[in-house]
Amino acid sequence: MNSLAQKNTRRGRPPKVNHDNHDTRAALIRSGVELLTEHGFFASGIDKILKKIGVPKGSFYHYFSSKEDFGREVIENYASYFAKKLDTHLLNVELDPIQRIGSFVEDAKAGIQKHHYKRGCLVGNLEQEVDVLPDGYRQLLTDIFIDWQHRIEVCLREAQQQQLLSTNANCALLAEFFWVGWEGAVSRARLTQSAQPLENFLNQYLAGLPR
Amino acid sequence: MNSLAQKNTRRGRPPKVNHDNHDTRAALIRSGVELLTEHGFFASGIDKILKKIGVPKGSFYHYFSSKEDFGREVIENYASYFAKKLDTHLLNVELDPIQRIGSFVEDAKAGIQKHHYKRGCLVGNLEQEVDVLPDGYRQLLTDIFIDWQHRIEVCLREAQQQQLLSTNANCALLAEFFWVGWEGAVSRARLTQSAQPLENFLNQYLAGLPR
DNA sequence: ATTTTACTAGACGATCGGTCTATTATGTTC
DNA sequence: GAACATAATAGACCGATCGTCTAGTAAAAT
């Protein structure tokens, strides 16, 4: 009995083969990204996530087994989106490596301003909630920072090769310093509803790099 | 009729004149400081704050008119506690001004380690929640950062006078950069449950200061 | 028509901040 | 000591909201 014959013996509506390409499912994740970026995990109720896109509450647990699983997908979605954004700047050969960092900051700053300082960094938001988040989120968030840090580190090494950064510089530690400060700057920008903390952070960070 | 006579016409137990010196009230604020430092405002339920010190719920609204008012007092209590801690380090004439900053960082690091990376900075926690916090908290938190920034700024100016910092340095912006980065470092230390981000932040910050 | 899956409607218990009434404890004046 | 008034405690209760779940309808195949 071949697979076609097997298929023909099955009666009733066949299960959907690809569970990941539903409009509704994708819309839920997109809505989740937006709300978690604004308010973090706990303050983002499932009702609000659903209401934002007009999906009834009963549907949620058809697409996701729990808020915890949903959050995991939201985080991964954001991380991959953000990694692409980083690449477009940090791998831009039209700019020197130092300028690329400034290019990323300008892009992120524009996004934050566009949303009137209501949206921050999803990973930064959840970082601060981590003690009351589901188990496993901690490692997830840590790995994302490691990934981002590595991308900046590569960029800084390229700056070293182009004599824009001292060869004595520890690029890994400088990259960690960047993200630590950046998350702090985003948080402060949201508090003061001003881009000034972002700009000052970039200026001070670049000025402090060993040349 | 003089005031004494008026007093004598009132019968019964007179109202307490000083509402701020009750043990229970102080204990509630202390409990609030601890919980808000660990979990922020929203995740700190009144029940948990009460349970921590064995005070019944009925007492809460005797001492405070609302969670919002309570939170305001908790914030102010933390801010004054923290300001004192800053002074003990930043005004310590036995160290040079740059060393004083390191002295503060060491102290704070020890505190975070002592609580196993479960407690962060109360102001930093609430900073990130500010969009969903009661009105007025935003200004309250902003003012606290301005105060802290000013204390670091004064310290940096003293460093300039002692030729430890370039006279070209903008001490106000460097002070803002410090707190922005510090809050980011505390958040990261809690995520990774390690003091390394705190140490790296201090090292990079000091290394980046214009000499 | 029947079978199977995709999707939805709304109930459910737990918990939240907040309010309420009742009660006990304490201190002052007559 | 009796009468009085406030301090403080006790915990039931409310409406709202949380994440989750069960029972059902709609749709697509045989």
Side-chain angles (χ1 to χ4, degrees):
Chain A
M1 200 185 269
N2 61 25
S3 65
L4 185 64
Q6 275 184 353
K7 210 198 247 173
N8 288 340
T9 60
R10 284 286 311 268
R11 306 191 52 190
R13 179 176 178 171
K16 234 171 182 175
V17 281
N18 189 348
H19 281 255
D20 297 333
N21 281 346
H22 292 349
D23 288 347
T24 303
R25 188 184 162 86
L28 281 170
I29 291 178
R30 237 182 299 118
S31 175
V33 167
E34 290 177 12
L35 272 176
L36 294 210
T37 303
E38 283 184 29
H39 301 134
F41 187 79
F42 260 89
S44 297
I46 290 176
D47 281 331
K48 289 174 193 161
I49 292 167
L50 293 160
K51 194 173 185 181
K52 198 177 171 76
I53 52 175
V55 171
K57 188 162 186 177
S59 300
F60 185 85
Y61 286 88
H62 172 68
Y63 295 103
F64 306 97
S65 67
S66 66
K67 191 189 181 187
E68 174 175 347
D69 282 349
F70 173 71
R72 200 169 271 116
E73 292 210 44
V74 167
I75 292 168
E76 286 163 358
N77 182 281
Y78 181 85
S80 77
Y81 147 80
F82 204 86
K84 278 175 197 154
K85 168 176 272 194
L86 275 177
D87 277 348
T88 66
H89 294 286
L90 300 183
L91 302 177
N92 178 7
V93 292
E94 292 177 11
L95 300 176
D96 78 47
I98 302 294
Q99 289 173 328
R100 294 174 206 171
I101 294 175
S103 173
F104 157 72
V105 167
E106 283 302 317
D107 182 356
K109 187 178 84 179
I112 291 170
Q113 286 177 314
K114 194 176 87 180
H115 295 104
H116 306 95
Y117 305 100
K118 283 189 292 190
R119 292 190 189 172
C121 171
L122 189 149
V123 179
N125 289 352
L126 269 59
E127 176 186 30
Q128 208 157 21
E129 291 183 280
V130 76
D131 279 337
V132 283
L133 255 36
D135 291 341
Y137 276 36
R138 190 185 297 273
Q139 193 58 51
L140 205 54
L141 299 171
T142 302
D143 289 345
I144 292 169
F145 275 128
I146 289 173
D147 175 64
W148 293 354
Q149 175 178 326
H150 187 70
R151 290 169 199 267
I152 291 281
E153 182 184 343
V154 167
C155 191
L156 290 174
R157 282 197 205 287
E158 209 172 326
Q160 278 181 320
Q161 288 164 4
Q162 296 184 22
Q163 328 278 0
L164 298 169
L165 186 66
S166 162
T167 53
N168 293 327
N170 185 324
C171 294
L173 291 178
L174 278 172
E176 182 190 278
F177 182 57
F178 175 83
W179 286 113
V180 161
W182 172 253
E183 292 297 339
V186 169
S187 194
R188 181 68 74 88
R190 295 180 71 190
L191 175 67
T192 62
Q193 300 177 299
S194 152
Q196 187 272 337
L198 302 176
E199 292 159 359
N200 186 46
F201 165 75
L202 178 65
N203 291 337
Q204 301 293 342
Y205 181 79
L206 295 183
L209 288 177
R211 309 285 177 159
Chain B
M1 200 185 268
N2 61 25
S3 65
L4 184 66
Q6 275 181 353
K7 213 197 244 173
N8 288 342
T9 58
R10 285 284 313 264
R11 302 192 55 189
R13 180 176 177 172
K16 231 172 185 175
V17 281
N18 188 351
H19 282 256
D20 297 333
N21 280 347
H22 291 342
D23 288 346
T24 302
R25 187 184 163 87
L28 281 169
I29 291 178
R30 239 183 298 119
S31 175
V33 167
E34 290 177 12
L35 272 176
L36 294 208
T37 303
E38 284 183 27
H39 302 312
F41 187 79
F42 261 88
S44 298
I46 290 177
D47 283 331
K48 289 174 193 161
I49 293 168
L50 292 161
K51 193 173 184 180
K52 198 176 170 74
I53 51 175
V55 171
K57 189 163 186 177
S59 298
F60 185 86
Y61 286 90
H62 172 70
Y63 294 105
F64 306 97
S65 67
S66 65
K67 191 188 180 188
E68 176 174 346
D69 281 349
F70 173 71
R72 197 169 275 114
E73 293 211 42
V74 168
I75 292 168
E76 285 164 359
N77 183 281
Y78 180 85
S80 77
Y81 147 80
F82 203 86
K84 276 175 200 156
K85 168 177 274 195
L86 275 177
D87 277 349
T88 66
H89 294 285
L90 299 183
L91 302 178
N92 178 6
V93 292
E94 294 178 9
L95 301 175
D96 77 48
I98 302 294
Q99 289 173 328
R100 293 173 206 171
I101 294 175
S103 171
F104 157 71
V105 167
E106 283 302 317
D107 183 356
K109 188 178 84 177
I112 292 170
Q113 286 177 315
K114 195 176 87 178
H115 294 103
H116 307 95
Y117 305 101
K118 283 188 292 190
R119 294 190 189 173
C121 171
L122 189 147
V123 179
N125 289 353
L126 270 58
E127 176 185 30
Q128 207 158 20
E129 290 183 280
V130 76
D131 279 336
V132 283
L133 254 36
D135 292 341
Y137 276 36
R138 189 185 298 274
Q139 193 59 52
L140 205 53
L141 299 171
T142 302
D143 289 345
I144 292 168
F145 275 128
I146 289 173
D147 175 64
W148 292 355
Q149 175 178 326
H150 187 70
R151 290 169 198 266
I152 291 282
E153 182 183 343
V154 167
C155 191
L156 290 174
R157 283 197 205 286
E158 207 172 327
Q160 278 181 321
Q161 289 165 3
Q162 299 184 21
Q163 327 279 358
L164 299 169
L165 185 65
S166 163
T167 51
N168 294 326
N170 185 324
C171 294
L173 291 177
L174 278 172
E176 182 189 277
F177 183 56
F178 175 84
W179 285 113
V180 160
W182 171 252
E183 292 296 340
V186 169
S187 193
R188 181 69 73 88
R190 295 179 70 188
L191 175 67
T192 62
Q193 300 177 300
S194 152
Q196 187 272 336
L198 302 176
E199 292 159 359
N200 186 46
F201 164 75
L202 178 65
N203 291 336
Q204 301 293 341
Y205 180 79
L206 294 184
L209 287 178
R211 308 286 177 159

